[in-house]
Amino acid sequence: EVTGLKMTNEAFLRERATSLAVDAKERMRMNRAEKDFYLDGTNWVTGAASCNGSGVACTASEVAVHDVSELITLAADYLPGGSVGVRSCGTANAAENCIIVSWAVTTTASCDPSTAYGHANFESQTNCVEVVVYDF
């Protein structure tokens, strides 16, 4: 019974992480003008969101800052020790980047995209997921 509950909880966390990664991917696609901002991993830190939907028209840059800030907050709120970030997938394809969502003791930096959920050998590391985003 305990094993079943643990597996159910892990599946729940993976589903939340995957949903968050897909949300990040869709936000990037909707704001293509700020592609370079989204794909620069150094921008994935908590920052002040300058675009808060207060009825004022936001620039593409403000939307990007808001998106990243909100995604970081969502990861922290919805996953224990949750974080989100973007980095190269480490493949020969320069147009391929990975959105990494991690939780528990795994960080986005320690998540190895070659062993993350979504690859054939994902069982070796289940505390992170990746969603590949191609040059858009």
Side-chain angles (χ1 to χ4, degrees):
E1 291 179 27
V2 173
T3 301
L5 289 174
K6 182 179 177 188
M7 291 177 69
T8 299
N9 187 55
E10 288 176 7
F12 174 75
L13 294 174
R14 278 194 302 275
E15 184 277 326
R16 277 194 161 180
T18 301
S19 293
L20 186 63
V22 170
D23 182 14
K25 183 176 182 176
E26 292 304 314
R27 290 174 190 237
M28 290 177 190
R29 290 191 188 282
M30 291 180 66
N31 192 6
R32 294 172 195 252
E34 290 299 315
K35 170 184 143 185
D36 292 338
F37 178 87
Y38 288 112
L39 296 180
D40 182 346
T42 62
N43 291 328
W44 287 78
V45 295
T46 303
S50 58
C51 180
N52 62 12
S54 61
V56 176
C58 301
T59 66
S61 177
E62 290 171 332
V63 170
V65 170
H66 174 77
D67 285 346
V68 168
S69 178
E70 189 169 61
L71 289 163
I72 290 168
T73 299
L74 289 171
D77 287 349
Y78 293 141
L79 297 163
S83 61
V84 60
V86 175
R87 67 170 191 228
S88 167
C89 294
T91 65
N93 185 349
E96 187 176 276
N97 290 279
C98 287
I99 300 167
I100 306 289
V101 179
S102 63
W103 63 95
V105 297
T106 304
T107 65
T108 55
S110 67
C111 178
D112 180 356
S114 67
T115 61
Y117 182 75
H119 286 276
N121 60 343
F122 73 89
E123 292 87 356
S124 63
Q125 185 175 22
T126 59
N127 290 338
C128 64
V129 296
E130 74 173 15
V131 170
V132 178
V133 59
Y134 293 94
D135 199 358
F136 55 95

